[in-house]
Amino acid sequence: MQDQYNPAEVEAQAQQYWEEHQSFNVVEDTSKEKFYCLAMFPYPSGKLHMGHVRNYTITDVIARYQRMQGKNVLHPMGWDAFGLPAENAALQRNTAPAAWTYSNTDHMRSQLKQLGFGFDWSRELTTCKPEYYKWEQWFFTRLYEKGLVYKRMATVNWDPVDHTVLANEQVIDGRGWRSGALVERKEIPQWFIKITAYAEELLADLDKLPNWPEQVKTMQRNWIGKSRGLDMHFDLASPVGEFTGFDIYTTRPDTIMGVTYVSLAAEHPIAKILAENNPALAQFIAECKVQSVAEADMATMEKRGIDTGIKALHPITGEPVSVWIANYVLMDYGSGAVMAVPAHDQRDYEFAKKYDLPISQVIAPQNGEAIDLTKAAFTEKGVLVNSGEYDGLDFNAAFDAIASTLEMANKGQVKTNYRLRDWGVSRQRYWGAPIPMFNLPDGGEIPVPAHKLPVLLPEDVVMNGVHSPIKADPEWRKAELDGQAVERETDTFDTFMESSWYYARYTCPNFEGGMLDKAAADYWLPVDQYVGGIEHAILHLLYSRFFHKLMRDEGLVSCDEPFERLLCQGMVLKDGTKMSKSKGNTVDPEELINQYGADTVRLFSMFAAPPEQSMEWSDSGVEGANRFLRRLWKAVEGHINAGTPGKLVVADLPQAQKDLRRKTHETIQKVSDDYGRRQTFNTAIAATMELLNETSKLADRANPLGLAVEREALEAAILLLAPIVPHISHSLWQALGHKSIPLNEKWPTLDESALTRSTVEVVIQVNGKLRGKLDAAIDSPKEQLEALALAQENVQKFLEGITVRKVIVVPNKLVNIVAN
Ligand code: ANZ
């Protein structure tokens, strides 16, 4: 064994061994319990950053730990390879997105290997390859046939100078990123998948996920946004075109007597008709078109509107109320119209203040306190006031009473709404999977039949930055179906499509007979442990859950949910802020590996914080991790040079050796819990470090029995650290004479009998105050404990000048001396 720790050599050796033995390749084996461990796959942006390193170290640690538990562990890796950055990079570098992407995946793969991550590379997936997206296209056509896919007009960002659609990221301060032109909203036909058909199940099944962070589930619940309310009809005082009235949706029918006006969305059909003869209205509607439609912006943006001049009739009192058009009313939620209750809704309140509309209180706090409507609306539920026959009712009673009044009058109906919208999957970009549809010459479209799939995306293209190469090339569109000329759809899929099912395809990445091989998918799924950033709490994790249910309903998988347990790792910070290129505070993992080795990087990133918390980068922390590994190396080297251990005969051990054994097994117990249940790898490392300290203090290298105790401690430490620092563990394990490697060893087992202590700590009190402690043999007789306690120097100090009246002894625990 080398006397100095040389990480480069150690790591090359271990990696070569794993490579030669294909140590991480797995196959289905029904005789073994499976464990599927997955990290969110990376976008191949160029090279790994510390966030990746942290993410993949976590899953690698868990995967190796589970393997040492005897399980059949799947830990795959691949590339989320489509997306806009490849187009931008290709433009900048005068290359094609495909070429750029593949060169990045090559580089990043070699970096991942350098870090020693135990991935089954035979299952590597690259989502921009036709073998992958072919099945996604096929699945989309199946969804179309089932009526779960439809086409409708939807709004996009339109650059009027470049004549192109822009992704949200390409709109900077309201202008196109290349042309600088003011971006407009434009309606174009786009494809949608009906995620709303699964809204209820997506919501309800969150309750089946006890091992997901509560925070993520809450975010999904809010995103789905289920609410119970009333669809309510307002008649118009006089008809507008064919409209004699309109519907609104409210979750607060209890506030109905506080309605002082109603508001329509700018796109509401009544608004459109009114605008025909009203230039001011038309102007206002046009202005609304260039504002954001993001719901988050709706709450904070300036509320603006315009009075249409027409009146609607209050459904209970019949009083006329004015009808406004307001920019904060969304066309695609509820019915695109609201009954405005400024006293109890903050948006209506701001609007009413601005346009001097009446504010009338109809809800009072339950506790009878007065409310102040000079600054803000009172939005809590309470008791009805100023509401005629409904006065005094609470929210629930008022909801029911008003609902039944309106239902009887045929003016309202209880309705459940979801905030969740259908998933728009059309993108007008090039670097994505082509949407598998044929547009017919006479309008309409049909899905590309299975035998014509995949619809291939050409990879060898020239980018001009404006038009997608497949949109720019009239030849690409041309296709033929049963002798008829048709046109290929030139839009591509949202890249969330690929990441919604990759976890399932890893179970059978090379299967050619279909999207999934049922047997393999059923064996491996669900993923037992999924790890990724909290930024994916909603979209990716919701779309994947949705896709999983779609695949289940297609008979491709059997379980209801894709991810059994979810861990969201924290951010990597430097000087208190997130490491990022734009802030210029990144640390390049590659440089660190060259300087210290991969094990140091892995150890530091696991030691700095528990996985779900953010971790602060520290150069001294990295050095500390490296120092520890060198100490570990030295400890094993010293031990080996000291001679050959004898047989470990427990009965013959002196006290110090028994203490060391106890420490070894206490550590095994704690570290196992840290890895398995708590997933706090930092405390697992700390405990193992402590074991090594104790070993250096207590080890007796002078005789074979002492060496045997030390050997047990060192072997335990090596195996306990193996998932985190697999290379050095590999070398040290073999240096200790083992033929196998830690990865194939069983996790150290706890010897309960080693835990029993022969001494206990007994507390000494004088008149109830703690004055000393002593280590006494277990079950020492009372008299002996009393004598030992009285003999302690510190105790004697407190007894000076007073007389001991009584001594109370609780065996194995306490001696209390009463004196005065
Ligand atoms: C009257 C009212 C009074 C409301 C009150 C709230 C408080 P959730 O719970 O998120 O489903 N609303 C309805 N349709 C809308 C649309 N298309 N655009 C913008 N806002 C709309 O929200 C339901 C509430 O959002 C509804 O209840 C309605 O305002 C508003 F004291 O009706 B409420």
Side-chain angles (χ1 to χ4, degrees), residues 355-412:
Y355 294 106
D356 215 10
L357 293 159
I359 298 175
S360 133
Q361 181 190 352
V362 290
I363 304 291
Q366 210 91 42
N367 60 15
E369 270 174 26
I371 59 168
D372 174 11
L373 287 174
T374 59
K375 301 239 154 42
F378 173 72
T379 58
E380 286 160 44
K381 289 172 184 167
V383 185
L384 273 67
V385 294
N386 306 326
S387 297
E389 59 172 301
Y390 307 109
D391 276 0
L393 298 183
D394 67 7
F395 173 80
N396 288 326
F399 189 113
D400 293 343
I402 291 164
S404 78
T405 304
L406 291 173
E407 270 170 5
M408 251 145 37
N410 242 336
K411 286 192 166 159

Side-chain angles (χ1 to χ4, degrees), residues 639-640 643-645 706-716 735-738:
H639 167 80
I640 291 172
T644 313
L707 283 171
V709 175
E710 190 188 23
R711 171 69 56 111
E712 186 189 25
L714 290 176
E715 292 199 344
L736 288 171
H738 294 282

Side-chain angles (χ1 to χ4, degrees), residues 156-160 166 170-172 174-177 179-185 289-290:
V156 293
N157 305 307
W158 177 254
D159 185 322
L166 300 175
Q170 293 174 319
V171 182
I172 297 153
R175 291 174 183 276
W177 68 304
S179 68
L182 271 179
V183 169
E184 296 171 0
R185 281 164 61 194
K289 282 213 158 184
V290 293

Side-chain angles (χ1 to χ4, degrees), residues 227 249-251 255 328 330 333 338-339 344-345 347 419:
S227 67
Y249 173 70
T250 180
T251 47
T255 65
Y328 66 92
L330 303 165
Y333 187 67
V338 302
M339 63 176 215
H344 304 291
D345 180 284
R347 295 162 301 181
R419 179 167 286 119

Side-chain angles (χ1 to χ4, degrees), residues 232-309:
M232 204 184 278
H233 189 77
F234 278 71
D235 284 325
L236 284 165
S238 49
V240 174
E242 75 267 31
F243 294 95
T244 57
F246 56 89
D247 284 343
I248 62 102
Y249 173 70
T250 180
T251 47
R252 295 292 305 271
D254 58 318
T255 65
I256 189 164
M257 303 308 263
V259 172
T260 57
Y261 66 100
V262 293
S263 285
L264 307 178
E267 295 94 343
H268 197 283
I270 293 180
K272 285 188 179 162
I273 297 175
L274 292 171
E276 286 167 13
N277 308 312
N278 184 334
L281 267 188
Q283 170 70 24
F284 178 75
I285 292 171
E287 282 166 27
C288 287
K289 282 213 158 184
V290 293
Q291 80 174 17
S292 161
V293 279
E295 230 179 293
D297 300 333
M298 290 281 159
T300 52
M301 72 183 186
E302 194 200 344
K303 314 280 176 295
R304 296 191 311 121
I306 185 165
D307 189 351
T308 62

